[in-house]
Amino acid sequence: MALACLPSCGPVDPEPSGPAGSLGQALVQGTDAPGDPATVALVARRTRCGGETPVLLCSGALIAPDVVLTAAHCLAVFAEDGPYEVFLGPTLLPEPGPGGRFVRVTRAVSHPKFAPATHLWDAALLRLAVPVTDVPPLRLPQAGDAPVAPGDLVRAVGYGDTKDAARPRGQRLQGLLQVTGVTDSAFQAGPAPAMTCVGDSGGPVLGGPAGNEVLLGLTISGDVACRTEAVQLRVDALEDFIRPFLEEAPPP
């Protein structure tokens, strides 16, 4: 049966019992992210539920049971009506690991002011074919939350390149960055000691105390070597884009 007819693919295997493995280095200079199930991978839709190596496009953030926020440039290859699905689980590559699952994307919408050349308003929203009911969505900024500021430590999560041949991309990893500059729509950050890289685009950048983190930004760009600077789009600047999509009734 073609995957186009399926709303989702079930778990690859049951989650293994027992304690999680030891933390490993990567993201660049990040660690495993077992506590971040709402960080997803955006992939090109497969033609069947097994036997294909997934094609990682970007990372993303689950912000409602059936909505993922990611970067608009992640849709550049196939455009908004392309064949997409998201992967939930700690290991996508070299092959999906235990407990991972795929959910088909039924609709993708880029920010109407997205400017590819400058990454201005580089955001997109994805509607999932079936709600993800067993993963709490990430918390969006609310009135009263402190805005991001220079000097803040923030936590990036994604499936991108690690610059480590021993650990390929496609692992869900986390790492700390330090904010170096803030504008009305974006903020910049440097390594502390981690740095985002290719494939982390669209992934969440979180701030605040553990257990009450808020989705401050989305990774949208950085230096080519993944060493000195990352640029994040501010999520609190996206309210007028996100809110109508969340309030929109999904198709029957």
Side-chain angles (χ1 to χ4, degrees):
M1 181 183 295
L3 188 62
C5 299
L6 299 174
S8 64
C9 289
V12 178
D13 283 304
E15 285 281 8
S17 59
S22 60
L23 297 181
Q25 293 298 313
L27 178 97
V28 178
Q29 291 298 314
T31 60
D32 292 334
D36 290 283
T39 299
V40 306
L42 176 63
V43 301
R45 191 183 307 163
R46 300 152 306 133
T47 58
R48 57 187 185 275
C49 282
E52 287 187 49
T53 299
V55 177
L56 173 65
L57 300 174
C58 277
S59 301
L62 187 74
I63 61 170
D66 64 342
V67 177
V68 167
L69 180 63
T70 189
H73 75 261
C74 299
L75 309 180
V77 175
F78 301 115
E80 290 184 350
D81 58 352
Y84 302 107
E85 56 189 347
V86 300
F87 173 81
L88 296 98
T91 301
L92 173 68
L93 298 172
E95 61 183 29
R101 67 189 190 271
F102 295 84
V103 181
R104 183 167 55 91
V105 173
T106 60
R107 185 180 177 215
V109 178
S110 298
H111 195 288
K113 295 182 180 179
F114 170 48
T118 62
H119 290 282
L120 188 65
W121 303 113
D122 191 351
L125 290 163
L126 313 176
R127 180 77 66 184
L128 303 183
V130 293
V132 177
T133 58
D134 59 343
V135 174
L138 294 173
R139 186 169 76 84
L140 294 171
Q142 301 172 355
D145 287 330
V148 65
D152 287 353
L153 287 176
V154 294
R155 192 170 67 89
V157 191
Y159 288 81
D161 196 354
T162 66
K163 297 296 184 182
D164 181 355
R167 186 153 197 190
R169 67 198 311 233
Q171 319 290 311
R172 190 179 66 208
L173 303 168
Q174 63 177 339
L176 291 179
L177 291 77
Q178 187 166 38
V179 177
T180 57
V182 180
T183 70
D184 289 342
S185 62
F187 60 94
Q188 297 78 40
M195 180 51 59
T196 52
C197 202
V198 178
D200 291 320
S201 288
V205 180
L206 305 161
N212 194 35
E213 286 183 310
V214 61
L215 179 59
L216 296 176
L218 294 179
T219 297
I220 56 173
S221 67
D223 69 288
V224 175
C226 308
R227 291 180 180 176
T228 60
E229 183 184 66
V231 180
Q232 291 81 26
L233 185 62
R234 289 179 59 168
V235 173
D236 60 359
L238 296 174
E239 181 182 2
D240 290 344
F241 175 55
I242 294 173
R243 179 171 35 80
F245 195 89
L246 292 179
E247 295 173 350
E248 181 182 286

